[in-house]
Amino acid sequence: LVALQRDNLEIGNVAPQDVSKQLPAWSILTSAYLFRDADHLNAFFAGPLGAEMKQMAEEQLKVKILAPVFFGGYAEIIDRFEPEEVLARLGSQHITGFFAVPTHFHALLSASAAALGASRKAPLKAVISNAAALPQAMKERLVAHFGPGLLHETYGSTEAGIVSNLRPPDQLRKLQCVGQPFPCTEVELRRRDGGVCNADEVGELFSRSPYLFNGYWERPQETAESFRDGWVTVGDLARRDAEGYLYIV
């Protein structure tokens, strides 16, 4: 897994036939790349390299859609995100899993009373939030609407994958928390001198797991700064309570 950063791409200078020779098989754009320079991003996707990246993204989407199908389920696809349409689908189709970001949840909870009422019948087994912090007040509204035992909030990064998960039983018990380390994931909070933090002491979050990226494409210095003896950091600060639950600060 390779993450692409902003300054290492020459826009429009790569011929289509050469793209496959220069790009890895799987690449992800980091948030810094996406949001630092909108003009740069638009120009990039208008060029031949951007076209190749779009195709790669489409292939990744196919994998995500086919995964539930492979295990005997199905994936519901709609043309665009319309809150009331999503709520209607949740209430009328046999959808058992729903993944969204906090912006989506805010829009859903702002829908009409009728739309919200229809979705209360949804046979959901899991509701997953990711990609941004989920405010505690919104967690409480989601639990009240969809019911207890469903909501997961995951924390992670492009570089480290999913790092932690706040599971359903802890949503209302652990406030403003991102949970415990994800399966197969180790987490350390370190001081400036490299020592491991004590409980409730704030430190830089490092993780080690099978989900780590390989590095930034053609950026060896930035890659070296992210890795410390097999552990990855993106600079986030966190604390861990006495029960082992993590809080991003």
Side-chain angles (χ1 to χ4, degrees):
L1 177 63
V2 177
L4 301 181
Q5 287 191 318
R6 174 179 177 269
D7 297 325
N8 63 328
L9 295 176
E10 293 295 331
I11 302 172
N13 293 335
V14 181
Q17 64 268 24
D18 297 328
V19 170
S20 61
K21 299 177 183 178
Q22 299 192 38
L23 278 176
W26 187 285
S27 300
I28 297 178
L29 293 173
T30 64
S31 297
Y33 186 100
L34 285 172
F35 299 116
R36 189 181 300 174
D37 189 334
D39 291 337
H40 181 282
L41 182 65
N42 291 335
F44 167 68
F45 279 114
L49 188 57
E52 183 73 8
M53 290 290 292
K54 289 179 183 177
Q55 183 177 357
M56 291 169 62
E58 290 171 1
E59 293 303 316
Q60 294 179 32
L61 182 60
K62 290 177 184 177
V63 171
K64 293 178 180 179
I65 291 174
L66 289 175
V69 176
F70 180 82
F71 287 101
Y74 80 104
E76 186 80 13
I77 303 171
I78 57 178
D79 292 334
R80 57 182 296 175
F81 177 75
E82 295 288 353
E84 299 211 354
E85 173 67 13
V86 170
L87 291 169
R89 297 286 183 102
L90 289 175
S92 62
Q93 305 294 326
H94 191 70
I95 295 172
T96 56
F98 180 58
F99 178 100
V101 303
T103 302
H104 290 144
F105 287 125
H106 176 76
L108 292 174
L109 293 174
S110 300
S112 68
L116 286 168
S119 66
R120 290 184 184 277
K121 301 180 295 181
L124 289 167
K125 295 182 179 180
V127 176
I128 302 172
S129 177
N130 184 251
L134 186 63
Q136 185 65 34
M138 189 175 295
K139 292 182 185 182
E140 295 170 3
R141 291 185 64 192
L142 288 170
V143 172
H145 180 74
F146 290 112
L150 300 178
L151 181 61
H152 296 255
E153 182 186 9
T154 59
Y155 157 78
S157 65
T158 302
E159 293 84 349
I162 297 177
V163 173
S164 67
N165 178 25
L166 184 64
R167 296 169 178 82
D170 300 314
Q171 291 293 335
L172 304 184
R173 186 175 76 90
K174 292 289 187 178
L175 305 184
Q176 298 178 328
C177 178
V178 294
Q180 295 175 303
F182 202 63
C184 303
T185 300
E186 299 174 81
V187 173
E188 282 190 355
L189 304 183
R190 300 181 183 178
R191 306 185 187 100
R192 288 181 180 273
D193 62 6
V196 178
C197 295
N198 297 318
D200 290 319
E201 182 181 359
V202 175
E204 186 173 355
L205 190 150
F206 288 78
S207 66
R208 181 169 63 181
S209 74
Y211 321 121
L212 303 183
F213 80 146
N214 296 335
Y216 298 113
W217 187 49
E218 296 183 355
R219 301 299 289 266
Q221 180 176 346
E222 287 82 352
T223 297
E225 291 172 354
S226 293
F227 279 93
R228 311 281 173 84
D229 300 321
W231 296 74
V232 159
T233 177
V234 294
D236 288 344
L237 298 178
R239 67 176 181 87
R240 177 160 23 198
D241 69 16
E243 293 184 86
Y245 287 79
L246 297 164
Y247 302 78
I248 305 300
V249 301

